[in-house]
Amino acid sequence: MKRHPLLTFLLYAAVVLLALSIVLPIAWLFIMSISQPTDLTTLPLKWFPETINLDQYKRLLTLEEGSTGETFLYALRNSTVVAVSATLISVLAAIPAAYSFSRFPGRQGLLYGTLAVYMMPPVAFVLPLYLTFSHLGLLNSSWALIIVYCTMLLPFATWLLKNNFDLLPYEIEQAAIIDGASQLQVIWHIALPLIKPALGAALLFALLMAWDEFFYALIYTNDLRAKTLPVAIGDFAAGRATDYGLISAVGMLAALPPLVAALFLQRSLVSGLAAGGTKG
Amino acid sequence: MANLKLRNIQKTYGNNVPTIKGIDLDIHDGEFVVFVGPSGCGKSTLLRMIAGLEDISSGDLLIGDKRANDIAPAKRGTAMVFQSYALYPHKSVYDNMAFGLKMAGTPKTEIHQTVTKAAEILQITHLLDRKPKELSGGQRQRVAIGRAIVRKPGVFLFDEPLSNLDASLRVQMRIELSRLHQELGITMIYVTHDQVEAMTLGDRIVVFNGGHIEQVGTPLELYHAPANRFVAGFLGSPSMNFIPCTVSRTADGVTLFAGEQCQTRLPVTAALPDSLTLGIRPEHLRISQAPSGIQGHIDLVEHLGDSVVMYVSVPGLKEVLSVKLDGSHAELKAGDPVHLDIDTRHCHLFDADNASIQWKS
């Protein structure tokens, strides 16, 4: 059937609009990051810089003591450590949890209980957790953030994976049990490969949630040892005179690791793996 | 190789009403036994209990004279083929078949030999590198069977393996399964609701109904001497006609009376109750040229080529009689009056409790 030209036009217009809404802010961030500071403050605004200025990036990629670069690179390291650890711990714990919720019903109360964490505003947890971490001597350490982020990521990952385990035909797993696989082997050899797309999605979203978290990081960290990127960016913006070029460059660099992770996980996000094992 | 003994096997779920109500059954070494029955009769549940996928609530299951109730599914020496095939979608055909051996820690070279040999038997050697989704239904089922064969089981369990296949493929696979059984000589238990599969494949058929066994016997025993009305009605297509009758004695037998236009005489000497149900298979009713005991009108005629099935309504009978004739009766059409003869040698009589009455001496 041939599509009406107007419909085609509208369809493409919608696609372009969507693409622009995603690309434009990033493009503008990039342009700001390579502009001269004067270009960004002149009126009327110069949309494209006359000379490309990479000074901001140079300032950020140095470990000189007391420099902005030092703050940024340490924050990058802290963010990576915290986000990756919290993600891995959460997803690793979520796999058996989700599987047991899916395959051994009767514990729905517990499953819904995990949602309680989401039902309260984070600010309700800040004080009790602050006191706890203070007692444990964990304030201003990556551990505090890893623990807090796990409480956020674990319920999310458990729900996401559980719903995907639910969709797997149980007979495939029973076939594996008859083939002599233990419960853990069934999860490892059969169930996990079949929910690869969901696993990729869980990893990616968990990583992004942890990477972007600001509130707890702001409260529980205060210097290079544990401060994460969102807090560091906030600090850059909070000075006497805001350096737009620098903040843009930080933004660009801070977006790179999740982007790489997304590209890496994208392949596993492609679904449709479960087709063909059973009649369908 | 293994024989199976089921001793008072029961299955009870949460509500304390048993779904399997005490099954006693002996299955001999190398036998092909078919479990048949309507949906929900417990045949699949029993099979899954034998496989170890369901717990046995009470009773004893002996595989090869060893109590197997608490043995892990993989250690029972059974292999199962599922209705849905249940292949591992992310593994190649080879890996699907090799998985069980890998789990058992079999050396690679031996796995390779075993899988290759099984693939040859099932003629799927050219498919070994493919993923299940690239296979047709029949090929998938063959892989599922292959996966079971490589484990060299003592007992092969089939859970409605052919019901997802189209009709012609089903016939072909049926023949192959029969051949496979002859070649391997393994004990096979086969669950189906398809009576043609049951009749053609089974050395013996076990008819289930409502969680218990109605009758066990060879296909022809069940066909010719059903123990009760359920078995009589379940096997055979179209199913047996049942006619409620009153009995009146005559000098040389009895007359079964079901209305002015439906009566027949049987040379019975045994004692009979005053009222009973006459069972007669469609293929044992014939058209009579002369006026006879049964007179009615044809409701509907189905020409199947090799045979003709007609449905005849008889005044006094609630249900129409189905009659199966050979294909030469092309002239029959709906609305025609018709006289029917009963082949009295093949009459079945059932008492008020639906049990079969032995009347032939």
Side-chain angles (χ1 to χ4, degrees):
Chain A
M1 201 181 77
K2 209 166 181 305
R3 206 189 282 136
H4 195 277
L6 182 68
L7 197 68
T8 310
F9 172 76
L10 286 176
L11 196 70
Y12 279 93
V15 171
V16 169
L17 200 67
L18 179 73
L20 285 181
S21 73
I22 296 169
V23 170
L24 273 186
I26 299 172
W28 179 235
L29 195 70
F30 177 69
I31 289 170
M32 279 173 77
S33 73
I34 56 167
S35 295
Q36 297 288 353
T38 47
D39 287 344
L40 294 173
T41 46
T42 49
L43 283 172
L45 194 62
K46 279 198 181 132
W47 290 101
F48 294 99
E50 278 162 15
T51 54
I52 290 174
N53 171 25
L54 292 176
D55 284 354
Q56 321 294 0
Y57 289 98
K58 280 182 203 146
R59 278 171 68 197
L60 288 172
L61 298 176
T62 168
L63 271 172
E64 213 172 293
E65 217 166 299
S67 66
T68 16
E70 192 193 20
T71 316
F72 169 74
L73 287 177
Y74 271 100
L76 185 68
R77 180 203 67 180
N78 294 336
S79 271
T80 309
V81 167
V82 168
V84 170
S85 314
T87 300
L88 288 184
I89 293 172
S90 301
V91 172
L92 278 181
I95 290 168
Y99 186 84
S100 68
F101 278 127
S102 172
R103 291 297 183 234
F104 308 103
R107 284 175 279 171
Q108 300 306 313
L110 209 57
L111 186 63
Y112 282 96
T114 60
L115 282 186
V117 180
Y118 288 123
M119 288 174 188
M120 291 204 228
V123 76
F125 294 114
V126 162
L127 213 56
L129 280 176
Y130 190 90
L131 292 175
T132 313
F133 288 138
S134 166
H135 274 293
L136 295 171
L138 290 177
L139 281 178
N140 197 28
S141 80
S142 294
W143 281 113
L145 291 184
I146 292 173
I147 292 169
V148 174
Y149 292 174
C150 280
T151 65
M152 292 172 5
L153 304 183
L154 187 55
F156 155 76
T158 306
W159 271 91
L160 198 152
L161 294 181
K162 185 233 170 221
N163 287 336
N164 279 275
F165 280 132
D166 284 349
L167 298 178
L168 291 186
Y170 194 30
E171 280 197 346
I172 293 182
E173 289 170 37
Q174 291 185 323
I177 289 171
I178 291 186
D179 264 345
S182 69
Q183 194 63 71
L184 284 177
Q185 284 171 324
V186 169
I187 297 178
W188 180 252
H189 291 290
I190 308 298
L192 271 189
L194 292 179
I195 62 153
K196 236 189 198 165
L199 200 63
L203 282 170
L204 187 60
F205 280 104
L207 191 74
L208 292 182
M209 279 166 81
W211 189 263
D212 291 337
E213 205 283 329
F214 177 73
F215 184 65
Y216 288 111
L218 178 71
I219 308 281
Y220 296 149
T221 64
N222 52 28
D223 63 23
L224 294 184
R225 277 173 292 170
K227 205 178 266 188
T228 57
L229 269 176
V231 182
I233 296 174
D235 284 350
F236 289 138
R240 273 167 290 137
T242 304
D243 187 338
Y244 290 111
L246 184 73
I247 295 172
S248 315
V250 173
M252 287 309 293
L253 289 179
L256 277 184
L259 190 72
V260 172
L263 286 177
F264 184 68
L265 289 171
Q266 189 209 14
R267 261 180 300 167
S268 72
L269 292 178
V270 182
S271 56
L273 248 174
T278 56
K279 174 80 180 174
Chain B
M1 307 287 143
N3 59 345
L4 265 94
K5 292 192 179 74
L6 281 66
R7 295 283 174 263
N8 196 23
I9 297 267
Q10 294 195 25
K11 178 73 190 177
T12 315
Y13 289 104
N15 54 7
N16 287 329
V17 184
T19 28
I20 306 278
K21 299 164 182 163
I23 299 289
D24 286 294
L25 186 64
D26 281 11
I27 294 170
H28 313 303
D29 192 7
E31 198 176 17
F32 198 130
V33 172
V34 178
F35 290 180
V36 73
S39 357
C41 67
K43 57 190 191 299
S44 275
T45 309
L46 186 64
L47 190 80
R48 295 164 55 81
M49 285 159 86
I50 295 172
L53 295 173
E54 299 265 359
D55 289 334
I56 296 170
S57 303
S58 73
D60 296 312
L61 167 69
L62 291 96
I63 300 178
D65 295 324
K66 224 167 95 189
R67 191 172 185 273
N69 287 40
D70 303 317
I71 299 179
K75 303 250 157 70
R76 291 188 181 195
T78 56
M80 186 153 165
V81 175
F82 294 85
Q83 178 181 1
S84 65
Y85 319 138
L87 299 179
Y88 312 127
H90 56 300
K91 292 181 186 290
S92 67
V93 167
Y94 181 93
D95 287 334
N96 260 282
M97 288 164 69
F99 185 71
L101 298 174
K102 271 184 198 156
M103 288 294 108
T106 315
K108 267 202 174 142
T109 48
E110 198 184 324
I111 293 180
H112 184 76
Q113 279 175 1
T114 317
V115 171
T116 322
K117 181 141 178 269
E120 271 167 29
I121 293 177
L122 294 163
Q123 295 156 12
I124 50 173
T125 310
H126 60 297
L127 303 174
L128 284 176
D129 294 330
R130 297 209 197 155
K131 291 270 171 66
K133 67 176 169 217
E134 299 163 52
L135 304 179
S136 70
Q139 289 170 332
R140 285 182 204 178
Q141 195 51 275
R142 253 176 253 211
V143 176
I145 294 169
R147 186 171 63 179
I149 289 180
V150 294
R151 301 188 53 235
K152 300 197 173 71
V155 183
F156 235 123
L157 307 172
F158 293 94
D159 190 4
E160 309 212 14
L162 305 187
S163 46
N164 280 344
L165 303 178
D166 59 48
S168 62
L169 203 52
R170 211 178 307 163
V171 174
Q172 189 194 333
M173 287 300 289
R174 212 167 66 206
I175 295 166
E176 285 188 30
L177 277 177
S178 229
R179 182 180 59 98
L180 198 67
H181 178 241
Q182 281 170 12
E183 267 178 38
L184 302 175
I186 301 175
T187 313
M188 291 189 175
I189 306 178
Y190 186 104
V191 165
T192 182
H193 59 261
D194 182 327
Q195 45 160 311
V196 180
E197 281 174 26
M199 296 292 286
T200 51
L201 284 173
D203 293 328
R204 278 194 304 159
I205 298 177
V206 184
V207 183
F208 284 84
N209 183 30
H212 67 267
I213 294 177
E214 294 280 0
Q215 190 174 1
V216 184
T218 65
L220 290 182
E221 271 169 22
L222 297 193
Y223 181 81
H224 290 301
N228 53 49
R229 196 175 148 169
F230 179 84
V231 176
F234 192 79
L235 295 176
S237 172
S239 61
M240 187 184 276
N241 298 295
F242 294 107
I243 308 170
C245 299
T246 52
V247 179
S248 54
R249 291 223 148 265
T250 55
D252 54 351
V254 294
T255 301
L256 301 180
F257 183 83
E260 281 304 329
Q261 295 176 34
C262 182
Q263 40 195 307
T264 189
R265 291 168 38 73
L266 286 183
V268 181
T269 49
L272 290 180
D274 291 341
S275 65
L276 47 72
T277 303
L278 166 68
I280 183 79
R281 293 196 185 277
E283 52 270 40
H284 298 142
L285 283 166
R286 286 164 308 203
I287 293 183
S288 165
Q289 299 309 327
S292 68
I294 302 176
Q295 304 157 37
H297 284 84
I298 301 177
D299 264 5
L300 180 72
V301 184
E302 293 173 339
H303 293 282
L304 302 174
D306 63 331
S307 62
V308 175
V309 177
M310 66 172 181
Y311 300 91
V312 177
S313 59
V314 177
L317 293 190
K318 274 191 207 150
E319 287 172 33
V320 294
L321 297 179
S322 36
V323 182
K324 193 172 183 182
L325 306 163
D326 63 63
S328 63
H329 292 77
E331 77 290 352
L332 296 170
K333 57 182 194 295
D336 288 352
V338 69
H339 293 264
L340 296 174
D341 257 349
I342 287 181
D343 184 346
T344 50
R345 290 168 304 168
H346 295 291
C347 280
H348 302 272
L349 303 179
F350 303 100
D351 64 19
D353 297 325
N354 292 324
S356 189
I357 302 171
Q358 296 304 318
W359 61 273
K360 292 171 213 172
S361 43

